[in-house]
């Protein structure tokens, strides 16, 4: 098969109308193989010999959208020094714009053996992992334009693609639970009837169903377990997973925009689905573990975790910052979304140990001509020390105001001592935002969300009841 040198940028698999440029970052790699997967699972390996600035690249003139692929990265397997390369594992492209399949929990996905965690596992994971898919960038957006609602005019409706649409009687049964359903006139009429100006979608980045859930015949419903920061989750597509999910997502956005409804994504850039040192090797871990993940300084075989999920992305790494910014820009420029709600946003500010509102992440958001112009909503806490940061995010950002939620609940329950605080919350929470000259619109005045009480339970019970 012909291979040309290609270019180190853009990252990922880029179709130009004739062929595809492949580019993968790995500072630690000694060799990188691009693996093309045929219809019956046959694998064709092509070595990428061109490398510039730790980006391995090549151009294949004959490849078209729909082609499935992965990588095998040859390099050191030395967990004590933070390196976990294992060419036996077929790896996802971190920049894959579509992903097919799910992992199945097979032992071959792991770089250790279940009966001996210190033993190296060189079993081939190809038949048990997810596959990256080449997509087409072409889509007829027509006259699509962002609704551009101001914060003070916004009613944001947090929802779930499947949960909102799965049982709606006016949505055709064959598309329920999908992007197509969310863009269906019946759902849009429902949203318009509520006065909603923006839907805030729970995670639609490609996520992983945890092995322990699969073993019980269950799946990850919420989706806060991202593995593909550019790919729409394939489980919400009605038309297929060979790139069709990307087109279907775009059609959903276009339909919502026509109804003057914005699309905000709940994004999880603080960790990945690979978990801790006992997790599977699906992508980042096998490509360049020490460049992507925050490791314990004194013991690099273990992961520093402020998210409660087993790992945290290394926010002081320029390659992690590039990945996040490239992802955000892709969703705005190519998928036409209108903003983002950042899960456990305090973790994104942890360049070192403490939460730092002057961290590099906020600096690059501030100066970016694309991302600085969309809605930016922080979940202003994480599980680490000093993680509760309501009122402390920089300008341009709004925040889920947890104190507004708590005070409204107390007021509704008839707590007389909260009346003065209720008045403060209702008029903009100046005690939280005025010290940094932020306006009342810095506060997202939410009452209920996915990870707390339902609306009825909020005013009915002292403890979670659902």
């Amino acid at each position: 098969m012909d291979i040309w040198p290609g270019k180190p940028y853009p990252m990922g698999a880029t179709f130009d109308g004739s062929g595809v440029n492949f580019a993968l970052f790995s500072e630690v790699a000694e060799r990188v193989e691009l693996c093309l997967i045929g219809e019956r699972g046959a694998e064709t390996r092509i070595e990428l010999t061109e490398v510039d600035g730790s980006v391995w690249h090549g151009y294949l003139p004959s490849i078209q959208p729909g082609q499935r692929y992965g990588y095998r990265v040859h390099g050191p397997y030395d967990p004590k020094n933070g390196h976990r390369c294992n060419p036996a594992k077929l790896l996802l492209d971190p920049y894959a714009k579509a992903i097919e399949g799910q992992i199945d929990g097979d032992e071959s996905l792991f770089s250790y053996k279940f009966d001996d965690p210190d033993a190296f596992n060189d079993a081939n994971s190809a038949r048990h992992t997810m596959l990256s898919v080449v997509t087409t960038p072409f889509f007829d957006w027509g006259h699509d334009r962002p609704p551009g609602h101001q914060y003070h005019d916004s009613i944001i409706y947090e929802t779930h693609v499947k949960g909102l649409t799965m049982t709606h009687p006016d949505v055709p049964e064959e598309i329920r639970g999908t992007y197509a359903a969310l863009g269906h006139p019946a759902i849009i009429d429902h949203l318009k009837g509520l006065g909603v100006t923006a839907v805030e979608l729970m995670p639609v980045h490609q996520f992983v169903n945890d092995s322990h859930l699969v073993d019980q015949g269950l799946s990850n419903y919420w989706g806060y377990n991202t593995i593909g920061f550019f790919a729409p989750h394939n489980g919400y597509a009605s038309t297929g997973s060979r790139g069709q999910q990307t087109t279907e997502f775009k059609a959903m956005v276009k339909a919502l925009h026509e109804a003057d409804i914005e699309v905000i994504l709940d994004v999880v850039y603080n960790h990945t689905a690979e978990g801790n040192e006992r997790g599977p090797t699906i992508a980042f871990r096998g490509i360049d573990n020490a460049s992507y993940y925050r490791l314990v300084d004194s013991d690099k075989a273990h992961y520093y975790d402020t998210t409660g999920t087993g790992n945290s992305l290394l926010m002081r790494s320029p390659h992690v910052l590039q990945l996040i910014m490239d992802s955000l820009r892709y969703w705005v420029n190519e998928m036409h979304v209108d903003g983002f709600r950042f899960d456990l946003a305090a973790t994104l500010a942890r360049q070192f140990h403490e939460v730092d509102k002057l961290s590099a992440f906020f600096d690059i958001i501030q100066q970016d001509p694309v991302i600085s112009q969309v809605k930016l909503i922080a979940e202003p806490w994480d599980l680490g020390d000093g993680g509760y940061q309501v009122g402390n995010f920089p300008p341009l950002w709004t925040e889920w105001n947890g104190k507004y939620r708590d005070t409204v609940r107390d007021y509704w329950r008839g707590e007389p001592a909260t009346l003065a605080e209720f008045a403060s919350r209702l008029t903009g929470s100046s005690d939280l935002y005025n010290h940094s000259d932020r306006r009342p619109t810095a506060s997202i005045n939410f009452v209920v969300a996915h990870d707390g009480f339902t609306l009825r339970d909020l005013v009915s019970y002292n403890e979670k009841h659902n």
Side-chain angles (χ1 to χ4, degrees):
M1 182 176 290
D2 287 343
I3 180 168
W4 300 349
K7 299 177 180 179
Y9 189 86
M11 301 290 289
T14 306
F15 176 65
D16 62 7
S18 299
V20 179
N21 189 81
F22 294 90
L24 177 78
F25 162 77
S26 179
E27 206 167 50
V28 73
E30 296 163 0
R31 288 174 53 218
V32 171
E33 292 176 303
L34 168 65
C35 306
L36 304 180
I37 309 301
E39 286 300 317
R40 297 186 178 181
E43 183 178 332
T44 302
R45 300 185 186 184
I46 302 165
E47 187 163 352
L48 298 181
T49 57
E50 300 290 333
V51 55
D52 293 286
S54 299
V55 176
W56 303 74
H57 56 90
Y59 181 91
L60 299 183
S62 59
I63 300 300
Q64 298 292 303
Q67 173 66 57
R68 300 177 300 167
Y69 71 99
Y71 290 102
R72 295 187 185 274
V73 175
H74 300 254
Y77 183 80
D78 183 10
K80 290 183 179 179
N81 287 305
H83 305 309
R84 295 179 179 269
C85 294
N86 186 344
K89 312 308 171 190
L90 184 65
L91 305 174
L92 285 173
D93 181 354
Y95 279 74
K97 297 179 181 68
I99 292 172
E100 182 183 65
Q102 269 287 347
I103 62 170
D104 61 8
D106 189 80
E107 187 175 9
S108 65
L109 293 163
F110 300 78
S111 285
Y112 63 92
K113 295 183 178 179
F114 288 172
D115 60 359
D116 183 4
D118 294 325
F120 181 70
N121 185 347
D122 60 359
N124 188 351
S125 68
R127 299 283 181 177
H128 304 279
T129 193
M130 310 158 85
L131 300 176
S132 307
V133 181
V134 176
T135 63
T136 177
F138 308 117
F139 179 80
D140 182 8
W141 282 105
H143 299 291
D144 182 72
R145 59 185 299 175
H149 297 297
Q150 297 296 311
Y151 279 115
H152 65 267
D153 292 325
S154 294
I155 299 176
I156 300 172
Y157 186 84
E158 186 193 48
T159 190
H160 185 284
V161 171
K162 191 170 184 177
L164 178 64
T165 66
M166 197 64 194
T167 60
H168 197 296
D170 296 329
V171 174
E173 191 170 348
E174 65 271 17
I175 66 167
R176 291 179 187 173
T178 69
Y179 305 120
L182 193 56
H184 189 273
I187 297 297
I188 290 176
D189 288 346
H190 169 66
L191 295 171
K192 295 293 286 184
L194 293 173
V196 168
T197 65
V199 288
E200 183 179 293
L201 301 182
M202 291 177 67
V204 295
H205 288 175
Q206 182 67 52
F207 59 84
V208 166
N209 285 320
D210 316 67
S211 298
H212 71 277
L213 294 177
V214 174
D215 291 343
Q216 300 176 61
L218 302 173
S219 62
N220 185 319
Y221 180 70
W222 280 357
Y224 292 89
N225 206 26
T226 303
I227 196 64
F229 295 105
F230 294 77
H233 183 63
N234 55 30
Y236 300 150
S238 65
T239 49
S241 58
R242 296 275 183 98
Q244 295 94 334
Q245 62 265 55
T246 302
T247 302
E248 187 174 327
F249 184 93
K250 291 177 178 178
M252 175 199 73
V253 173
K254 184 179 178 182
L256 288 165
H257 280 183
E258 287 176 356
D260 203 33
I261 297 173
E262 294 179 311
V263 179
I264 298 170
L265 302 188
D266 192 338
V267 290
V268 189
Y269 291 113
N270 50 68
H271 72 278
T272 80
E274 290 186 300
N276 63 17
E277 59 277 1
R278 291 290 177 256
T281 299
I282 311 171
F284 307 91
R285 174 176 284 134
I287 293 169
D288 195 334
N289 186 61
S291 288
Y292 279 115
Y293 291 119
R294 188 167 180 185
L295 307 177
V296 176
D297 291 335
S298 59
D299 183 6
K300 292 186 176 180
H302 293 88
Y303 294 81
Y304 187 88
D305 178 19
T306 59
T307 65
T309 62
N311 66 56
S312 300
L313 285 171
L314 184 63
M315 294 306 299
R316 62 177 180 266
S317 164
H319 304 289
V320 169
L321 291 172
Q322 180 187 0
L323 174 81
I324 294 174
M325 292 305 297
D326 285 347
S327 170
L328 291 170
R329 280 190 291 265
Y330 174 78
W331 286 96
V332 175
N333 289 333
E334 301 298 326
M335 308 295 264
H336 287 207
V337 305
D338 304 284
F340 305 95
R341 177 265 188 189
F342 292 81
D343 179 65
L344 301 180
T347 292
L348 301 175
R350 290 183 187 272
Q351 278 185 278
F352 298 99
H353 174 73
E354 68 285 347
V355 176
D356 179 7
K357 72 176 183 178
L358 299 178
S359 74
F361 176 69
F362 293 124
D363 288 344
I364 58 178
I365 289 282
Q366 177 78 29
Q367 59 80 40
D368 189 271
V370 175
I371 306 307
S372 64
Q373 300 306 305
V374 301
K375 287 183 168 64
L376 301 171
I377 303 170
E379 180 186 31
W381 47 75
D382 68 9
L383 301 184
D385 293 340
Y388 191 77
Q389 292 291 323
V390 173
N392 291 331
F393 277 70
L396 292 184
W397 288 77
T398 60
E399 304 172 18
W400 272 20
N401 188 347
K403 294 189 176 182
Y404 179 94
R405 171 200 57 199
D406 298 342
T407 303
V408 167
R409 179 171 185 256
D410 284 343
Y411 175 75
W412 190 266
R413 292 188 307 152
E415 295 286 343
T418 63
L419 188 59
E421 187 175 359
F422 175 75
S424 173
R425 298 289 163 246
L426 201 61
T427 55
S429 296
S430 62
D431 58 320
L432 298 176
Y433 303 108
N434 195 48
H435 68 89
S436 55
D437 294 326
R438 297 166 71 195
R439 300 178 65 81
T441 50
S443 172
I444 299 295
N445 295 333
F446 82 105
V447 180
V448 290
H450 63 276
D451 55 359
F453 287 95
T454 63
L455 185 57
R456 179 166 181 161
D457 289 358
L458 186 80
V459 295
S460 303
Y461 300 101
N462 286 328
E463 297 176 358
K464 196 170 180 180
H465 198 75
N466 65 327

